[in-house]
Amino acid sequence: MEPTVLVDRRDGWSVLTLNRPDRLNSFNEEMHRALAEALAGVEADAGCRAVLLTGAGRGFCAGQDLNDRATSGQAPDLGATLDGLYNPLIRRLRALPKPVVCAVNGVAAGAGANIALACDIVLAARSAKFIQSFAKIGLVPDSGGTYALPRLVGAARARGLALLAEPLPADKAEEWGLIWKAVDDAALRPEAEALAAHLATQPTQGLALIKQALDASAGNSLDAQLDLERDLQRRAGRTPDYAEGVRAFIEKRPAKFTGRAE
């Protein structure tokens, strides 16, 4: 059988592809385990300095595979599913100390939409759509949806997306600030790969600290955030890439970052 997550190691970065195209890459437990293993692998790989996450076939991810859900007898404990599978995935994506680019190549629905939004930079094909489909089956947006949506698009739009479960086209998702950019379908993969390859040449430790600072800002007061910026800047200033960046600026040449911590 084909693996449910494909791992393609490139020069300094990796492509992770959700690979259940016959089910629009919807999640079952096997794919959860495979993606967790793949993310642990790229996190531990010092030679991997950026990640590209995408889907096989005509969709990015349709969320949970409802064929795995019991619809008769005892009600399932969906909270346990979130605790054991989805929440660790979102936390891992946010905390990964390297940038994660997401290429949304088709529908991103339910948890699939919110997994995309947990990545650092989201590109979407113009034909792609984002759907908070939970309300259609009586559920609450999960996988960080109720956290990300109001922060990205504001309270009114977040409520509309969550309560109405209407598809949001990629162009409007860009216009609303939900994603970084919508691109022509044919340009999606080349542009996403170029972006991941570029990020893999940048100061990896500094990018990890940027992720940490931005994630903390939502819950911090200004004073707390200023203190955090001070502490993270102290760490960034001690990295070899900062020294190289300054040297390159003075010598008027492109910097050659290594991504090393020391």
Side-chain angles (χ1 to χ4, degrees), residues 30 91 98-99 105 123 130 133 140 149 177 210 221 228-229 233 236 238 244 247 251 258:
E30 181 185 356
R91 290 185 174 113
K98 13 201 128 176
N105 53 304
L123 303 178
F130 296 82
S133 51
V140 177
L149 288 173
I210 289 172
S221 66
L228 178 63
E229 289 176 354
Q233 202 73 300
R238 292 170 176 165
E244 164 60 11
R247 281 195 303 269
E251 296 168 8
T258 65

Side-chain angles (χ1 to χ4, degrees), residues 6-256:
L6 305 176
V7 180
D8 181 9
R9 292 175 176 82
R10 306 287 182 91
D11 184 15
W13 55 287
S14 292
V15 183
L16 307 184
T17 304
L18 306 180
N19 189 42
R20 299 185 73 218
D22 56 319
R23 303 298 304 168
L24 287 176
N25 303 316
S26 56
F27 272 88
N28 59 10
E29 288 197 25
E30 181 185 356
M31 195 162 84
H32 269 292
R33 289 193 297 270
L35 184 55
E37 183 179 340
L39 287 170
V42 297
E43 183 173 358
D45 182 359
C48 176
R49 295 166 58 189
V51 178
L52 172 59
L53 178 65
T54 192
R58 60 190 179 89
F60 171 67
C61 177
Q64 172 64 37
D65 187 343
L66 295 181
N67 288 300
D68 276 10
R69 291 280 185 248
T71 54
S72 61
Q74 185 175 358
D77 183 351
L78 300 187
T81 301
L82 295 184
D83 262 344
L85 299 173
Y86 285 99
N87 291 353
L89 170 58
I90 299 302
R91 290 185 174 113
R92 174 163 259 154
L93 285 169
R94 298 306 300 171
L96 197 72
K98 13 201 128 176
V100 183
V101 176
C102 185
V104 179
N105 53 304
V107 67
N114 297 329
I115 288 165
L117 299 181
C119 298
D120 297 304
I121 299 179
V122 184
L123 303 178
R126 294 196 194 282
S127 64
K129 291 180 173 61
F130 296 82
I131 312 172
Q132 295 293 322
S133 51
F134 303 91
K136 292 183 176 180
I137 54 173
L139 294 182
V140 177
D142 59 31
S143 303
T146 61
Y147 182 89
L149 288 173
R151 286 167 171 79
L152 292 171
V153 301
R157 285 170 170 165
R159 285 175 185 268
L161 290 170
L163 294 173
L164 299 175
E166 293 180 351
L168 184 69
D171 280 323
K172 184 151 286 191
E174 178 189 350
E175 179 186 333
W176 284 8
L178 188 72
I179 64 171
W180 173 244
K181 191 186 294 187
V183 301
D184 291 340
D185 286 29
L188 176 67
R189 188 61 180 258
E191 188 159 338
E193 291 189 357
L195 181 56
H198 165 73
L199 289 168
T201 68
Q202 298 307 292
T204 310
Q205 302 301 317
L207 299 186
L209 296 176
I210 289 172
K211 289 183 62 165
Q212 187 177 334
L214 291 174
D215 277 347
S217 69
N220 272 350
S221 66
L222 175 60
D223 281 344
Q225 193 68 13
L226 289 172
D227 288 345
L228 178 63
E229 289 176 354
R230 174 202 63 209
D231 296 341
L232 296 180
Q233 202 73 300
R234 180 175 289 130
R235 290 169 57 187
R238 292 170 176 165
T239 62
D241 280 341
Y242 171 68
E244 164 60 11
V246 172
R247 281 195 303 269
F249 176 82
I250 292 171
E251 296 168 8
K252 296 181 172 55
R253 60 171 175 82
K256 296 180 180 178

